[in-house]
Structures are given as C-alpha cells and as structure tokens.
Amino acid sequence: MDYRSGRHFLQIPGPTNVPERVLRAIDSQVIDHRGPAFARLGLEVLEGLRPLFKTTSPVIIYPASGTGAWEAALVNTLSPGDKVLMFETGHFAALWQGLAEKLGLSAEMVPGDWRHGVDPAAVEEQLRKDKGHQIRAVCAVHNETSTGVTSRIGEVRAAIDRAGHPALLLVDTISSLGSIDYRHDDWRVDVTIAGSQKGMMLPPGLSFNALSPRALLASKTARLVRSYWDWEPMLAANKTGFFPFTPATNLLYGLREALILLREEGLERVFQRHARHGEATRRAVRAWGLELNCADEREYSNALTAVLLPAGHDEARLRATILERFDMSLGQGLGKVRGKLFRIGHLGDFNDLTLCGTLCGVEMGLGLAGVPHQPGGVAAAMEYLSATPG
Ligand SMILES: *Cc1c(COP(=O)(O)O)cnc(C)c1O
C-alpha cells in the first residue's frame, strides 16, 4: 500500500488511539523484571490502578487480551458444573457465555434483543426463582461494545440485594473502564474485568481483574483448573511489586503514563468528556435520519455509538468506502448484527475536533455509498459542541 499522508482515523471502539506520551513511555529499554527498578514500577501501577476501578481491593494485571481476564474471573471463583447467569446483551456477552461453557460451567443465558442492557428486573426475577441458590455468579457486560448499550450495574447490584441472593457479581468493563463511570466497591462487584486497549488508551496486551474480599474467599474453594490465571501466586508476588512470570514490562511503562494522564485530566472530567461526545454523536445520527441501535435512552453508551442502516444497505460497503476515501476505520457489525449496523468509537484519547473529523468522514461516506440520509449531522454535532463547553 502506498503511503497515505496525515493520520489514520482509528475510530473503531477499541483498540483506540494511543496518546503520544504513552507511546514515548513504551519506547524505553526493557529492564530486569526481578530487579529493584521493576519493583518500583510494579508497585506504582498496581496501586495506581485502584482509583480507576474505584476500589481499595487488589487489582491483578495479566499480559493477555481481555478474553484472558474473562477466563481468569471464572476459573478463580467457580467450580465445574456451577451455574452462572448471563444476559444476552450482544456479541461479547455471547462470547463470554461460550467461554464459560467450554470451561465446564452451566451458563444460562437470559435472552435479549441486542438493543437493551441487562434488565435489573430480570436479574431479580431469575434470582428469586432460584430458591436453592444454585446460581453461583451473575455475569454482566457493562458496556456492550457490539451494540452501543451500557448496562446499569448499580441497579443490577440493587436487584441482587432485593432478591437476597448470595451470587457473586462479575462485570466486564473492557470497553467502559476509563470512559464511563464505574464503581467496583460502591456496587460491590466481586470481579471486574478490564482490558488495556479501549478506554485506557494503551495498545492491546494487558488485561485486569479487580477483586473483592468475597471473590478472594471464593477463590480458596473454587475447583476449576487454573494455573497461568491463578490469583494466588500473582497476589503473593505483587505484594513486593513483582510477577510470578515475565510481565509485559513495556506495556507497564505505558500503563504508568496512561494512569498519570487520567489523573491529570481527572476521572470525572474524562467521563464528562465522553458523555458530551456521545451526545454530539447521537445528535448527528438523528439529524442524518438514521436510527440508533440502543433503544433505551438510559442506556446510551458514551464510549461508542452503533448506527442501524436502512434495510438493503450493507454496513461493510459503507465502511469500505470510508476507509478507501478518507482513511478512517469504523467498527463493523459483529455476530447477529453483521451487515446491519456500524459503530463509531468515541472513547479513549479524543477531543472535539477528532469527533468532528470522524463525523465528517461518516457523513461524506453515507453520501458516497448511496445510503439514504439527510445532510446536517455534522452541523448538529458542531452546534451542540459549541453551545456546550466541556
Ligand atoms: C473488546 C471486548 C472484549 C474482548 O477483549 P479482547 O481484548 O479482544 O480479548 C470483551 N468484552 C468487551 C465488552 C469488549 O469490548
């Protein structure tokens, strides 16, 4: 491929654009992972992660994609044949269920339409029915990246409490942590699963489990086979800043810098920035006369927007046109919604003009690909951004 001048627009909902300061931090010499300099780095990032999850409990770092942290959450807390309750919010919920089944768990999926989040009333109903407390864990995807829907985890917690059920709560925040408000301790989540390459503004390659005292207790008796993912040797080594195997040293340099950036901007301001960009994007979509995939305004994702195309128009063609003409990548329709919707990522390291450029590319692409729409989406977003200071 010939050189394409200017910066590629990576507007998929993860991996996201990596800030220059994070790239510079990663571009450093590898150090001895058993030496004192590494111990300082390890302790700093392990401690620095806690406020991001809003927890005072330990956070574990794996050199792995988010899928590894999904597996880690299950194998450390559950035993063969255990029943877990899952909710079909979209493609990622379906993948997590498939993984649970392969591990020998009995994963019951509450059906969903891929346009709504986890229904707290359904959580309560399922748990109340489970008089014998067979369900060992409730598994929820906080931000369903395939559909642009954010589940109300605080309300899911309240539903579990109302049912008076002892199930653990496991939550996937791979595409929400660092972009959308999330509270591990307040919501008494037992394991929070996260990944580096979305809201955390890092390249792919790290993933996380934030624990609770109950999760740690469950890990003492959980019998699923585990070795690499085992929390116990990890927590023991982490006490002094080390890892039981070779850590991804350079990604940890990046993590240290990303945590500094998030602290400098302030987490609440980061969330507000994403909320503002989410709203501007939704205004653009409505002005185009297109339909948002998310069907409940309480569940709009501020990390990405999934846009339905009119019947007979294929999102793959639209995205190919935009990539070819404007050098921008957008998210494809995954699983059941393949061909039907495309996704605009507005998470991570992002500002007003990045959003305007992104929406310009979409609006021009809609025209070039012959997708019926009205002009004025970019104008609607610009008007909102101008009138609403960040
Ligand atoms: C990206 C993503 C995953 C998968 O993570 P990988 O890093 O690709 O393994 C899982 N869940 C959600 C919600 C995601 O957005």
Side-chain angles (χ1 to χ4, degrees):
M1 173 106 183
D2 296 334
Y3 175 66
R4 297 195 75 168
S5 60
R7 196 175 176 143
H8 175 73
F9 268 58
L10 183 67
Q11 297 320 136
I12 58 176
T16 64
N17 298 290
V18 179
E20 297 295 331
R21 271 173 59 182
V22 172
L23 290 174
R24 296 290 86 82
I26 291 170
D27 180 13
S28 309
Q29 193 51 259
V30 184
I31 56 172
D32 172 10
H33 63 288
R34 310 255 183 237
F38 186 88
R40 285 193 293 276
L41 170 66
L43 288 172
E44 186 178 340
V45 293
L46 287 163
E47 201 50 46
L49 277 167
R50 295 186 194 205
L52 189 56
F53 289 85
K54 296 190 178 166
T55 186
T56 55
S57 290
V59 179
I60 278 174
I61 306 173
Y62 293 109
S65 91
T67 303
W70 261 348
E71 180 161 339
L74 299 175
V75 295
N76 278 286
T77 55
L78 298 163
S79 298
D82 274 358
K83 192 163 163 184
V84 297
L85 188 63
M86 296 186 146
F87 295 85
E88 192 198 354
T89 48
H91 186 65
F92 289 102
L95 289 176
W96 198 11
Q97 184 206 25
L99 189 156
E101 291 282 352
K102 279 190 203 161
L103 292 174
L105 295 167
S106 165
E108 189 183 314
M109 184 78 114
V110 176
D113 66 357
W114 292 44
R115 298 189 71 176
H116 291 84
V118 177
D119 177 6
V123 174
E124 184 174 349
E125 185 195 327
Q126 293 292 327
L127 293 181
R128 279 192 192 280
K129 274 199 313 207
D130 180 38
K131 300 257 186 273
H133 294 171
Q134 296 294 305
I135 296 170
R136 307 307 296 251
V138 171
C139 301
V141 175
H142 181 215
N143 187 63
E144 185 41 91
T145 323
S146 62
T147 63
V149 176
T150 305
S151 285
R152 292 162 283 150
I153 301 300
E155 293 181 36
V156 170
R157 170 78 265 167
I160 298 172
D161 291 348
R162 276 197 305 277
H165 197 288
L168 296 170
L169 176 58
L170 313 185
V171 181
D172 169 347
T173 66
I174 295 174
S175 65
S176 55
L177 197 80
S179 297
I180 301 170
D181 189 22
Y182 182 77
R183 307 166 187 206
H184 179 87
D185 284 3
D186 278 4
W187 296 338
R188 280 175 290 123
V189 178
D190 293 296
V191 188
T192 296
I193 296 134
S196 56
Q197 75 272 28
K198 299 180 187 179
M200 293 176 74
M201 308 182 289
L202 290 160
L206 292 180
S207 58
F208 310 89
N209 276 180
L211 316 183
S212 75
R214 282 189 75 217
L216 272 167
L217 200 63
S219 74
K220 306 292 179 212
T221 52
R223 285 178 291 101
L224 276 178
V225 173
R226 58 186 186 270
S227 170
Y228 184 77
W229 307 113
D230 197 353
W231 290 343
E232 198 176 341
M234 190 65 115
L235 289 169
N238 282 177
K239 281 205 170 70
T240 47
F242 294 111
F243 285 70
F245 42 70
T246 313
T249 308
N250 289 53
L251 285 174
L252 298 179
Y253 293 146
L255 174 59
R256 175 165 62 188
E257 192 63 25
L259 291 170
I260 293 171
L261 299 185
L262 289 166
R263 273 203 303 274
E264 282 180 9
E265 186 175 353
L267 212 43
E268 303 312 313
R269 278 174 62 201
V270 170
F271 299 149
Q272 216 194 325
R273 168 164 61 80
H274 285 84
R276 192 165 156 274
H277 289 152
E279 177 59 25
T281 305
R282 293 187 290 271
R283 285 179 185 230
V285 173
R286 289 194 197 102
W288 289 323
L290 297 177
E291 194 179 350
L292 295 165
N293 181 62
C294 180
D296 184 334
E297 63 180 34
R298 293 171 301 175
E299 299 178 330
Y300 285 150
S301 171
N302 289 325
L304 75 139
T305 300
V307 185
L308 291 164
L309 284 194
H313 293 270
D314 185 1
E315 52 92 9
R317 219 185 115 227
L318 171 68
R319 285 184 302 101
T321 304
I322 292 171
L323 178 61
E324 188 190 307
R325 289 292 299 270
F326 308 116
D327 200 20
M328 175 162 73
S329 299
L330 294 167
Q332 65 184 85
L334 294 169
K336 272 189 197 173
V337 290
R338 194 189 174 121
K340 295 187 181 135
L341 61 76
F342 68 98
R343 298 170 298 145
I344 303 169
H346 36 77
L347 72 168
D349 191 40
F350 203 77
N351 65 23
D352 287 7
L353 297 187
T354 326
L355 181 64
C356 288
T358 300
L359 296 175
C360 281
V362 175
E363 188 162 324
M364 289 189 286
L366 289 168
L368 289 166
V371 177
H373 70 289
Q374 281 122 45
V378 174
M382 283 166 51
E383 194 180 318
Y384 174 75
L385 292 172
S386 307
T388 319

